[in-house]
Amino acid sequence: MKITLQDAADKLKAANKIVVTAHVNPDGDAIGSTIALYQILKALGKDVTIYIDDKLPKNFVTMPGAEDIKRPVEGEKISADLLVILDTAPDRVGKVIEVCDAPILNIDHHVTNNNAENFLYVDATASATCEIIFYFSKILGVELTLNMAVCLYIGMATDTGFFNYSNTKPATFKAAAELVELGVMPNLVSENLERRTAHEIKILSLALQTTKLYFGGKVAGMFVDEKLSAQSDNTEGLIDLIRVIEGVEVAFLLKFKAKKICRVSMRSKTVDVSKIAQRLGGGGHVRAAGCTIEENFDDAKKILIDAIGNYMVEVNKISQADFNSDIELALEDVEN
Ligand code: 5GP
Ligand code: MN
C-alpha cells in the first residue's frame, strides 16, 4: 500500500523497537540513509538496530556510524515492531527479511519499486533515498547532527555522481546546501570517497582496456572477469569512465562476483536502462540500473548484450541491421 511521508512518520512514532536495513551490494545512498535514519530514530528515543547483509565497500567503512551496522547471522531471530527497508524493495535485503519478520515500512526512490504488499513511500523524483530522509527529518521534528548530515550528503553525492546526473534537482541542491551549512565539507567527502590505492588505479587501467563497443558505438561495455575481480573488488566509478564516450547511449559493466554469479551495472544517456535491468530480474532508475545474472561470465556477457541490443531495437535507438551485425570493437581498433 502506498503511503505518504506523514503516514511513515506516524508508523515510526508508534513503534518502539525498529530494525533499519538497505540493499545488498550497498552503495553510499543505502549506507548513508540507514545510518542517518538510525541516528534520527535514536534521537526520538527508539530502540533501533541496523542490519545490512553484505560487506561495506572499503571507502564507506569510515563513514560516521558505520561501526553500528551489523550483519545478520543465519538462523538468528530479531523481534521488532517495524522493519524499515531503505533504497530498495524487500527482495534485495538478503537474510534480513528472514531474520526479522516485523511489518515492513519501505522508503525508496526507485521507479521500479512496486512493492504493494507493504507500507511503501516511493518518490522516484528524489535524487537519493538520503534526499527523502533529509526532508523526512523535518517531518519527524529531529534536528540533524553533523554526523547525520555527512551521511545524507554522501548518499546524495554518490547517487547523483557528485551532482552531475539528471536526477540532480533544485530540491537536491537545497538539501545539500543545508547539509553544508550544518558543517559538511564537500571537498573532504569527495577526497574520502574517491581515494584509490596505486594498485586500484592499476586494476582500473586494466579494466579500461577491456572496453568494447557494440552496435555502431552506441553501447560500450567493460569486463571485470574472475581474474581481474580477484585482484580488486573496488569497481566504484569504473562505469563512469566509459559512460562519457561520444556516441555511447548505454554503458555497462559486467563483473564476476562468484561462480555463476555476475553483477551488471548500466548507465545511459537517453535509454531507459531500468527496463533492460527488469527484464533480467533487476531494477533501478531510468539512467542507472543493475541486475545479477546467474550464469558463467561468457554466457552472462551474451545474455546482457542481447538484452541491451533487443531493447534498443524496440525503442528505435539502433536498427535491426546494427543488431544483427554483431560486431565487437576493441578500443585499440577504434580509428581516430
Ligand atoms: P549500480 O550500477 O550502482 O550497482 O546500481 C544502479 C542502480 O540500480 C542503483 O540505484 C541500484 O540500487 C539499482 N540496482 C542495481 N542492481 C540492482 C538489482 O539487482 N535489482 C534492483 N532492483 N535494482 C538494482
Ligand atoms: Mn539510492
Side-chain angles (χ1 to χ4, degrees), residues 158-315:
T158 48
D159 263 25
T160 57
F162 289 89
F163 308 99
N164 278 322
Y165 303 155
S166 61
N167 57 349
T168 313
K169 303 276 164 53
T172 321
F173 281 119
K174 283 181 186 147
E178 275 194 49
L179 297 173
V180 172
E181 273 166 0
L182 284 168
V184 176
M185 297 180 71
N187 59 318
L188 292 187
V189 169
S190 69
E191 261 172 49
N192 275 316
L193 295 183
E194 290 169 342
R195 185 182 298 123
R196 295 282 181 278
T197 62
H199 175 73
E200 283 169 338
I201 295 295
K202 185 184 96 182
I203 302 304
L204 189 143
S205 76
L206 294 175
L208 203 48
Q209 286 170 42
T210 69
T211 302
K212 304 280 186 308
L213 297 175
Y214 301 90
F215 311 128
K218 296 234 169 82
V219 174
M222 220 190 241
F223 302 90
V224 176
D225 62 9
E226 183 168 5
K227 197 167 150 229
L228 211 47
S229 83
Q231 295 183 68
S232 164
D233 67 353
N234 187 358
T235 50
E236 199 55 42
L238 266 186
I239 195 168
D240 293 314
L241 300 172
I242 57 170
R243 187 180 62 88
V244 297
I245 298 173
E246 218 174 316
V248 166
E249 300 268 353
V250 173
F252 70 81
L253 171 75
L254 180 66
K255 182 181 169 185
F256 174 91
K257 182 104 195 205
K259 194 164 179 274
K260 283 213 162 198
I261 301 183
C262 299
R263 281 286 311 155
V264 174
S265 278
M266 286 183 278
R267 300 290 183 271
S268 87
K269 295 193 184 121
T270 54
V271 175
D272 184 352
V273 283
S274 76
K275 294 265 171 34
I276 305 171
Q278 269 183 315
R279 287 183 185 178
L280 296 170
H285 308 286
V286 174
R287 308 254 182 279
C291 59
T292 299
I293 302 180
E294 295 186 358
E295 295 288 348
N296 66 45
F297 199 77
D298 290 339
D299 291 339
K301 174 178 170 183
K302 192 173 173 344
I303 290 167
L304 176 62
I305 295 167
D306 271 0
I308 295 172
N310 272 316
Y311 185 75
M312 288 179 81
V313 170
E314 277 170 46
V315 295

Side-chain angles (χ1 to χ4, degrees), residues 1 3 11 19 21 81-86 88-91 93 96-97 100-107 115 117-121:
M1 179 173 91
I3 60 168
K11 297 212 174 295
V19 171
T21 190
D81 301 324
L82 204 57
L83 169 63
V84 184
I85 297 181
L86 298 175
T88 176
D91 59 340
V93 299
V96 177
I97 206 94
C100 177
D101 66 358
I104 292 170
L105 169 63
N106 189 190
I107 300 178
N115 160 37
E117 68 267 32
N118 296 296
F119 299 118
L120 170 68
Y121 175 78

Side-chain angles (χ1 to χ4, degrees), residues 117-156:
E117 68 267 32
N118 296 296
F119 299 118
L120 170 68
Y121 175 78
V122 61
D123 178 3
T125 69
S127 65
T129 302
C130 280
E131 186 181 313
I132 300 176
I133 301 298
F134 170 82
Y135 290 103
F136 194 36
S137 70
K138 296 181 189 287
I139 297 174
L140 289 166
V142 173
E143 283 201 20
L144 295 176
T145 61
L146 178 57
N147 275 357
M148 296 171 191
V150 168
C151 290
L152 293 176
Y153 185 92
I154 287 176
M156 284 168 40

Side-chain angles (χ1 to χ4, degrees), residues 29 87 109-110 159:
D29 191 28
D87 201 37
H109 71 127
H110 287 97
D159 263 25

